[in-house]
Amino acid sequence: MIAAMNISMRFGQQTLFEHVSVKFRPGNRYGLIGANGSGKSTFMKILTGEQSATTGEIAIDKGCRLGYLKQNHYEYENETIIDTVYMGHEELWKIHQEREYLYSQDELSEKEEERANNIEEEYEHAGGYTMEREAAKLLSGLGFAEEEFNKPMSSLAGGFKLRVLLAQVLFAKPDILLMDEPTNHLDMSSIDWLSAFLQGYEGTVIVISHNRYFINEVCTHIADLDYQEIRLFTGNYDDFMTASAIAIESRKHENKKKEKRMSELKDFINRFSANASKAKQATSRQKELEKIELDEIKPSSRVSPFIRFNPLQRLGEKVIETENISKIYDHTIFEKLNLIISNTDKVAIIGTNGIGKTTLLKTLIKAIEPCNGEVIHGETVNISYFPQDASEMLDMESRAMDWLARFAPVEETLSETELRSFMGKMLFSGDEVFKPVKVLSGGEKARLIIAKMMLEGGNVLALDEPTNHLDLESIEALNYSLTLVEMPVIFVSHDREFISSLANKIIDFSDGKVVYYPGNLDDYEDYKKRNKAK
């Protein structure tokens, strides 16, 4: 068990949380949730000992090992992938290195000879005989092929480095497992694998994630960081949302009953307090009135942006068509691809990381040219684009509002008040609109780009992994807004719930080919299962 006792965290005048006392018990899997900036990552760092709290202490049961998913992608550059995984189990790795050294020597000293005779028992007890199999199972589940295991970490892109670090922390099988955004850079199949792995995990799990499907699949409890405190709820994220809404409605209903009773008592007191025959009753009611206390319903730190996409130009019937398009770099990404996207389509592009989803999306919106074939846009098409990498679009040296002003429709000059209104919908308030773009958080940059899309009023929306840096409230707001639009949406995503709720067409990079399926995600997965069974 790991427990926080009277933990407070302050940065100058800002208080993230105050007097938090909470116990995380073995066998339970906790989703730590809260608005961006509420202090989730800070609290997790306090649990690991990486950061000191302003007040309070952390207690861990004696003998418990704690594992924490590191975010330092470049710590193991000179190690092989599989050795990096082994290093997650410090005791085993130390014995493994010593054993390898002893067995590599042509001659051993007497002391080394004695050690060589005794090390096998320690090695077996620590799990040495199964370490290669266990590490391979983890790496395979996270999308690595066996021939990649002995490649250096320096050969991997950042997202794949994070996968190895995830395998590393899982390999150690800690009693207490802490993970901050483990699904970042994972594709759907790897998220499914990790969900299944954690469902069978016997220790205590505490995880921060903005992936609703993952939290629902994995978590048995929710630790809600709100109102500068943490409250525990039994159940997954959907259960928490239901219970939270019911609790708030119940308190509002109870307050209404109390307010009605208070009004009745005040009315009686005002009418009869001066009447000698009713004075005793008036006094009794005054005492009852003084005992009634309304429940305090604090405003949540969770605030949802208001997202609505309204096209400025009506879209014709013809949207996007491809004729035998191909894209080849050092290998073929797609070849002779023919697609027709109509004005009612919401198309999800799915597949493993690095396989070419972004390349296809950019080709479809004419951000890059195909090597062969042609992409044809209808005459009325006006595309609003959300890139995977915000720096691809944002001017880091501009102020946020100045950058947004560039995307006002050509015929309009927007006032500062109108620009503030667009930014206010995306939760930029006061002087925040004048922040330099380069100091914005990942979530703020994503919301600024969404404000741009709302302002420019495109009639075809193209989004490349838009949920990566958004908190749960912003993801839900974006998700809802896209269900309302009556225009084409083409998007890349690994968020299963996001895809399931939106897509009516699927483009899947699968098994070395591109499959275009005219149906939703559930139908497509059923189709794949049927084909595999044949």
Side-chain angles (χ1 to χ4, degrees):
M1 182 179 74
I2 183 169
M5 297 180 288
N6 201 33
I7 295 291
S8 298
M9 192 69 201
R10 304 183 195 95
F11 294 101
Q13 299 297 312
Q14 182 190 14
T15 298
L16 284 181
F17 35 84
E18 192 98 46
H19 306 306
V20 169
S21 293
V22 60
K23 293 179 181 178
F24 300 100
R25 301 185 181 279
N28 292 340
R29 301 184 297 275
Y30 300 86
L32 179 57
I33 67 170
N36 276 352
S38 62
K40 301 185 296 297
S41 293
T42 300
F43 182 74
M44 186 167 278
K45 286 177 182 176
I46 291 170
L47 290 176
T48 68
E50 278 197 7
Q51 192 160 344
S52 297
T54 307
T55 66
E57 60 182 355
I58 301 299
I60 300 176
D61 282 353
K62 191 174 180 180
C64 280
R65 286 187 300 119
L66 185 145
Y68 177 46
L69 175 60
K70 297 176 181 178
Q71 298 290 335
N72 185 353
H73 295 189
Y74 301 98
E75 187 174 342
Y76 303 93
E77 289 295 272
N78 298 321
E79 306 291 343
T80 65
I81 290 171
I82 198 158
D83 280 353
T84 303
V85 176
Y86 293 155
M87 290 165 78
H89 195 314
E90 291 181 16
E91 178 192 358
L92 176 56
W93 175 245
K94 186 177 178 182
I95 297 171
H96 175 71
Q97 283 186 300
E98 186 182 5
R99 181 175 179 267
E100 291 288 299
Y101 167 77
L102 290 171
Y103 287 178
S104 68
Q105 301 304 300
D106 293 330
E107 292 185 18
L108 297 176
S109 68
E110 187 176 330
K111 188 177 180 181
E112 287 174 335
E113 189 76 48
E114 184 182 351
R115 179 59 182 149
N117 291 333
N118 296 327
I119 200 170
E120 284 302 318
E121 188 177 344
E122 281 184 43
Y123 187 65
E124 181 181 10
H125 184 263
Y129 293 160
T130 60
M131 63 187 291
E132 186 174 352
R133 185 174 72 243
E134 293 297 321
K137 189 194 302 182
L138 293 169
L139 287 170
S140 297
L142 290 167
F144 291 93
E146 189 175 344
E147 56 267 24
E148 297 177 290
F149 293 175
N150 288 304
K151 286 184 177 179
M153 287 287 285
S154 58
S155 68
L156 299 179
F160 284 94
K161 284 184 171 72
L162 182 62
R163 292 185 185 210
V164 178
L165 296 181
L166 177 55
Q168 182 189 71
V169 73
L170 297 176
F171 178 73
K173 296 180 182 175
D175 304 291
I176 301 162
L177 176 59
L178 306 178
M179 297 184 291
D180 190 349
E181 294 291 354
T183 62
N184 275 4
H185 307 290
L186 295 186
D187 52 49
M188 279 201 303
S189 61
S190 296
I191 292 171
D192 289 344
W193 174 87
L194 180 59
S195 298
F197 182 91
L198 292 176
Q199 284 167 14
Y201 204 81
E202 295 179 358
T204 304
V205 178
I206 307 172
V207 61
I208 298 171
S209 178
H210 293 154
N211 188 303
R212 294 163 295 176
Y213 169 81
F214 179 75
I215 297 176
N216 277 328
E217 287 292 298
V218 168
C219 295
T220 60
H221 294 74
I222 296 296
D224 178 35
L225 178 49
D226 200 2
Y227 313 112
Q228 299 179 346
E229 62 185 19
I230 290 179
R231 294 175 297 162
L232 295 182
F233 292 80
T234 300
N236 62 18
Y237 181 69
D238 285 348
D239 296 329
F240 158 75
M241 291 297 288
T242 302
S244 183
I246 290 172
I248 291 171
E249 283 305 309
S250 177
R251 288 161 73 188
K252 286 180 178 178
H253 180 69
E254 194 60 32
N255 275 353
K256 283 182 180 179
K257 285 170 61 179
K258 289 178 180 178
E259 286 169 350
K260 183 181 178 183
R261 180 59 180 160
M262 289 168 71
S263 178
E264 291 170 351
L265 293 171
K266 286 175 183 177
D267 185 53
F268 186 92
I269 293 164
N270 290 336
R271 288 172 59 196
F272 298 112
S273 58
N275 187 324
S277 65
K278 299 279 190 179
K280 190 174 180 180
Q281 294 177 48
T283 301
S284 174
R285 281 166 171 73
Q286 180 64 44
K287 289 179 180 178
E288 182 185 346
L289 179 63
E290 289 169 359
K291 289 180 182 177
I292 297 175
E293 291 184 5
L294 295 176
D295 291 333
E296 182 183 5
I297 303 176
K298 299 177 185 176
S300 173
S301 61
R302 288 186 179 81
V303 184
S304 296
F306 182 82
I307 303 174
R308 293 293 183 272
F309 298 106
N310 297 305
L312 297 178
Q313 182 180 4
R314 191 169 179 271
L315 185 65
E317 286 189 18
K318 189 171 183 177
V319 182
I320 298 174
E321 187 175 338
T322 70
E323 292 182 352
N324 292 317
I325 60 169
S326 302
K327 194 67 182 177
I328 302 164
Y329 290 116
D330 55 342
H331 65 283
T332 300
I333 296 174
F334 51 84
E335 189 173 24
K336 295 182 180 179
L337 187 60
N338 293 292
L339 301 171
I340 297 175
I341 296 173
S342 74
N343 55 16
T344 59
D345 283 343
K346 292 178 180 176
V347 183
I349 303 175
I350 65 173
T352 56
N353 283 338
I355 203 166
K357 301 184 298 298
T358 294
T359 300
L360 176 57
L361 179 66
K362 287 185 173 182
T363 305
L364 291 176
I365 65 174
K366 292 190 175 183
I368 58 176
E369 292 294 322
C371 296
N372 300 299
E374 186 179 7
V375 178
I376 304 162
H377 284 187
E379 291 182 6
T380 57
V381 166
N382 179 20
I383 292 171
S384 282
Y385 175 51
F386 183 108
Q388 183 180 151
D389 181 0
S391 63
E392 181 183 317
M393 178 174 287
L394 294 169
D395 178 355
M396 296 299 168
E397 300 306 317
S398 289
R399 298 188 307 176
M401 189 167 71
D402 294 340
W403 179 82
L404 182 64
R406 301 175 190 176
F407 297 93
V410 176
E411 65 277 6
E412 292 186 40
T413 302
L414 297 184
S415 66
E416 181 177 312
T417 301
E418 289 170 313
L419 286 169
R420 278 182 176 275
S421 174
F422 270 95
M423 295 187 73
K425 291 174 182 176
M426 298 311 299
L427 309 183
F428 291 91
S429 60
D431 289 340
E432 289 179 349
V433 301
F434 300 122
K435 276 185 178 180
V437 170
K438 62 186 175 186
V439 306
L440 298 180
S441 69
E444 287 173 325
K445 287 173 182 172
R447 285 188 271 114
L448 182 61
I449 291 173
I450 293 171
K452 181 271 300 185
M453 296 176 72
M454 291 163 57
L455 179 60
E456 64 191 356
N459 54 22
V460 177
L461 304 180
L463 305 99
D464 194 353
E465 300 202 31
T467 64
N468 276 1
H469 297 288
L470 297 177
D471 60 18
L472 284 164
E473 288 69 40
S474 297
I475 290 171
E476 287 168 358
L478 176 62
N479 201 155
Y480 178 65
S481 70
L482 293 175
T483 64
L484 298 178
V485 298
E486 296 181 355
M487 58 176 137
V489 182
I490 312 165
F491 64 100
V492 176
S493 182
H494 298 303
D495 186 322
R496 181 177 289 275
E497 189 158 335
F498 195 78
I499 297 166
S500 295
S501 63
L502 289 175
N504 59 17
K505 301 280 175 66
I506 303 291
I507 298 175
D508 181 20
F509 282 79
S510 179
D511 302 323
K513 59 183 180 181
V514 179
V515 177
Y516 184 47
Y517 183 81
N520 62 32
L521 183 61
D522 288 342
D523 291 341
Y524 176 59
E525 291 186 330
D526 287 343
Y527 162 80
K528 283 204 300 184
K529 286 175 186 174
R530 289 195 304 272
N531 275 16
K532 191 175 285 188
K534 288 179 181 178

